[in-house]
Amino acid sequence: MSDTWVAIDFETANAHRGSPCAVGLTAVDQGRITDRMYTLIRPPAAYRHFDPYNTRIHGIGASDVESAPSWAEALHQILRFTAGRTLVAHNAAFDLGVLRDACTAEESPWPTLRYACSLVVARRTWRLISYALPEVARHVEVPLKEHHQAGADADAAAHIMLAAMRHHRAKSLDQLLAELNVVHGNVAPNAWSGSRSKGTYKGKPSASIPGTNPDADPLGAFYGKTVCITGTLSRMKRAEAQAALAVVGATPVAKVSGKTDILVVATPDPRRFAIGSEQSEKQRTAERLLEGGHDIEIIGEADFFERLIS
């Protein structure tokens, strides 16, 4: 392993991505973690309110960030720490979206960055029931005791990418992405593009399926996917969530079957869908399908909302 890069993770104060309240960074050089950075952040003024939902997840409230660096100060620290190195994030569409939206909220230009997504790489590397950060970390035997603590999550993303490099015997991050046919994401002052697998989406869903938007972005996280929801979502009614899925090109369904690509478990705590936990019949069906060779993924509520707005 002959390259150097930095894993990054943001936590946000509320549902708007332009509300970063903490960031963790983990530097990797020659296949080893060599440095770390963590700071709380005072979110941009327009999005400074703390939603109790988010505070329950990461434990950060308004009083914790009163004397924290502003977004402009935090971004300066981030760019100084990364020093032009490639960034890695688990679900990078969310974390790099936080960075872009926070800059936009403060009317500052986007920085120039190059990044890769460990979630995309994990899907190309292992066959799992869930690719949420805790589940992939558990699979690669990386302890994650403080999920949604930005420093711990950045560490986990770094370890997941290193495990994938070992699995594929890649000597560098660039070699790994090339072998998996995954493209880098890029951010520039006036444009951005995502880190994604090439040639893997299913194509336009049938226009005969009621409610599905045939003109949605084909690079969207749910485009062309058949998605089922189990449980009660905390932030919107199920019918609203199904309508939102249809808008982004997914096909929402009421039951899990061999055609289902994703099952959303309506809980913000991904431990609820760990093996041995209390499970719905839909979840048990999904796990039986995976055991039988069907590609199906279970995601939690927090991951669902992140992907929906990515």
Side-chain angles (χ1 to χ4, degrees), residues 129-153:
I129 192 65
S130 168
Y131 294 92
L133 183 65
E135 300 304 309
V136 185
R138 184 179 297 113
H139 179 76
V140 300
E141 299 181 344
V142 172
L144 182 55
K145 297 179 180 179
E146 297 181 275
H147 183 34
H148 291 301
Q149 195 281 333
D153 286 358

Side-chain angles (χ1 to χ4, degrees), residues 109-127:
W110 297 346
T112 299
L113 300 167
R114 188 170 185 248
Y115 66 93
C117 183
S118 58
L119 174 63
V120 173
V121 167
R123 285 184 178 138
R124 283 288 182 112
T125 301
W126 301 288
R127 191 165 176 270

Side-chain angles (χ1 to χ4, degrees), residues 37-108:
M37 176 192 139
Y38 172 83
T39 185
L40 292 170
I41 301 170
R42 194 167 69 255
Y47 308 112
R48 197 162 291 171
H49 65 283
F50 276 77
D51 189 320
Y53 175 87
N54 292 63
T55 296
R56 282 197 303 272
I57 289 177
H58 52 53
I60 302 169
S63 62
D64 298 309
V65 302
E66 287 179 355
S67 59
S70 67
W71 169 246
E73 293 167 335
L75 180 60
H76 178 73
Q77 293 179 31
I78 291 167
L79 296 179
R80 184 173 59 189
F81 183 88
T82 56
R85 291 175 287 187
T86 298
L87 297 179
V88 164
H90 200 78
N91 190 15
F94 173 77
D95 293 285
L96 274 296
V98 170
L99 190 149
R100 295 194 315 273
D101 287 1
C103 288
T104 299
E106 299 220 324
E107 299 182 349
S108 60

Side-chain angles (χ1 to χ4, degrees), residues 130 132 134-135 138 147 230-232 265-280 283-284 287 298-301:
S130 168
E135 300 304 309
R138 184 179 297 113
H147 183 34
T230 182
T232 303
V265 178
T267 168
D269 183 357
R271 291 173 295 182
R272 280 284 306 277
F273 55 79
I275 295 173
S277 66
E278 181 182 350
Q279 298 177 337
S280 69
Q283 186 174 337
R284 289 191 289 270
E287 293 186 351
I298 296 179
I299 66 175
E301 180 175 335

Side-chain angles (χ1 to χ4, degrees), residues 208-238:
S208 65
I209 300 174
T212 300
N213 177 13
D215 297 317
D217 181 0
L219 300 182
F222 290 117
Y223 184 88
K225 303 293 185 182
T226 298
V227 183
C228 181
I229 300 172
T230 182
T232 303
L233 294 164
S234 65
R235 295 164 64 182
M236 64 172 62
K237 295 180 180 179
R238 184 180 298 183

Side-chain angles (χ1 to χ4, degrees), residues 139-179:
H139 179 76
V140 300
E141 299 181 344
V142 172
L144 182 55
K145 297 179 180 179
E146 297 181 275
H147 183 34
H148 291 301
Q149 195 281 333
D153 286 358
D155 261 16
H159 280 296
I160 288 168
M161 195 65 89
L162 288 169
M165 292 171 72
R166 290 192 296 270
H167 181 90
H168 294 286
R169 298 182 181 179
K171 294 182 179 180
S172 69
L173 179 60
D174 284 353
Q175 181 186 347
L176 174 69
L177 299 184
E179 290 183 2

